Amino acid sequence: MRKKLSLLLAMAGVLLFLSGCTQIDQDVSAESTGFWNEFVVWPLSQTLLFFADFFSGSYGMAIIVVTIIIRLVLLPLNVKQLKSSKSMQEIQPQLQELREKYSSKDAQTQQKLQQETMSLFQKNGVNPLAGCLPIIVQMPILIGFYHAIMRTPEIQSHNFLWLELGSPDPFLAILTAATTFLQQKLMMAGMSGAAGANPQMQMMLYIMPLMIGTFAFFFPSALAVYWIVGNVFMILQTVFIRKPMMKESTGGADK
């Protein structure tokens, strides 16, 4: 679990680096150079403009629709991640038995624990990295969409509902944190008791919403709209896909 926590924090660091250090202060255009601009940010920006025209110039609706489309495209990866999580949950009792059997911290015992753990993974066809790989694949797409929103000048000067899409909105920042918390809470509700009560998991339950909510207080509300719509999609995915899957793995028990 410490490795997963470290991976999440590392990915958050990569997100911050890419968000702040790759021409984020420059408008994207057909003249923008580089693979990132030409094949990721510019096409996504043009997609936003296309749907804005379709909705009579509403860039807010364009962000909502494109966010949903991207989440639908990434849905197979998310399902793969959920299946991997389910498989890991099914072998948690055996993993706990191994940890208790090899509880000594000396190098020889810990090496034996690693060998037995890998043998258990192979026996049950579980890849411990399978749950992380879909997240890594998704990141460039999601970061690219973030850039498309931030670097499309038409969005920065547009209003949607009560929002000025180019300016932060405190209410949306709170809503961003709340939906992030709810999404993670629902995901943890489908885990086994030991995994769901893990201190690191509990810590991430509060750290991630606080971090994303803080970003939303300073970033344009257009980005908050993107985060909230993505969170709502993931909440629905959890309710309709992950929760039944997790119930099936625990014999129908309601966690």
Side-chain angles (χ1 to χ4, degrees):
M1 185 56 64
R2 289 180 180 177
K3 292 182 179 179
K4 289 185 178 181
L5 178 60
S6 299
L7 178 62
L8 285 173
L9 293 177
M11 288 191 296
V14 171
L15 173 61
L16 288 175
F17 174 78
L18 290 176
S19 299
C21 301
T22 51
Q23 302 177 329
I24 194 64
D25 58 338
Q26 302 176 18
D27 294 342
V28 67
S29 68
E31 285 73 37
S32 298
T33 59
F35 179 88
W36 178 250
N37 288 325
E38 293 180 25
F39 297 100
V40 180
V41 181
W42 176 243
L44 287 171
S45 174
Q46 289 301 290
T47 303
L48 285 170
L49 295 176
F50 170 80
F51 279 101
D53 289 340
F54 182 81
F55 288 104
S56 303
S58 176
Y59 290 94
M61 284 299 302
I63 292 173
I64 292 172
V65 171
V66 177
T67 300
I68 293 173
I69 292 174
I70 289 176
R71 290 295 180 179
L72 287 172
V73 171
L74 295 175
L75 185 58
L77 285 176
N78 291 326
V79 172
K80 180 178 178 65
Q81 181 184 356
L82 297 180
K83 289 181 177 179
S84 174
S85 177
K86 176 177 179 290
S87 298
M88 286 295 293
Q89 291 303 315
E90 290 174 346
I91 65 171
Q92 283 302 309
Q94 295 98 308
L95 285 173
Q96 185 59 34
E97 289 177 4
L98 288 177
R99 295 188 189 103
E100 293 174 357
K101 181 178 179 180
Y102 301 103
S103 58
S104 178
K105 300 301 181 182
D106 63 274
Q108 184 176 359
T109 303
Q110 288 300 301
Q111 184 178 6
K112 185 64 175 177
L113 173 60
Q114 291 179 7
Q115 292 174 350
E116 292 288 339
T117 300
M118 292 306 299
S119 177
L120 179 63
F121 287 159
Q122 292 174 0
K123 181 180 178 181
N124 291 273
V126 174
N127 182 355
L129 297 179
C132 300
L133 290 176
I135 300 176
I136 296 174
V137 172
Q138 293 179 50
M139 282 195 67
I141 300 174
L142 299 179
I143 295 173
F145 190 44
Y146 159 77
H147 271 254
I149 291 174
M150 296 291 287
R151 298 172 59 190
T152 302
E154 292 86 348
I155 294 177
Q156 306 305 314
S157 59
H158 185 76
N159 294 333
F160 176 63
L161 300 177
W162 72 92
L163 303 170
E164 295 181 5
L165 292 178
S167 302
D169 184 88
F171 173 74
L172 279 196
I174 296 172
L175 191 57
T176 299
T179 54
T180 302
F181 177 83
L182 180 57
Q183 174 202 338
Q184 295 194 155
K185 187 70 173 178
L186 285 173
M187 291 182 69
M188 289 181 61
M191 296 181 178
S192 64
N198 186 285
Q200 280 109 1
M201 292 291 292
Q202 291 292 332
M203 182 170 62
M204 289 304 297
L205 176 63
Y206 297 98
I207 289 179
M208 288 300 292
L210 181 61
M211 182 174 67
I212 298 298
T214 301
F215 291 161
F217 265 106
F218 299 98
F219 286 176
S221 58
L223 187 59
V225 172
Y226 156 63
W227 274 330
I228 291 168
V229 174
N231 285 340
V232 171
F233 185 97
M234 295 297 289
I235 288 169
L236 294 175
Q237 171 187 289
T238 301
V239 171
F240 292 107
I241 299 178
R242 181 183 182 115
K243 195 171 181 180
M245 188 182 296
M246 292 296 105
K247 283 185 177 181
E248 180 183 347
S249 68
T250 56
D254 190 7
K255 298 292 182 181

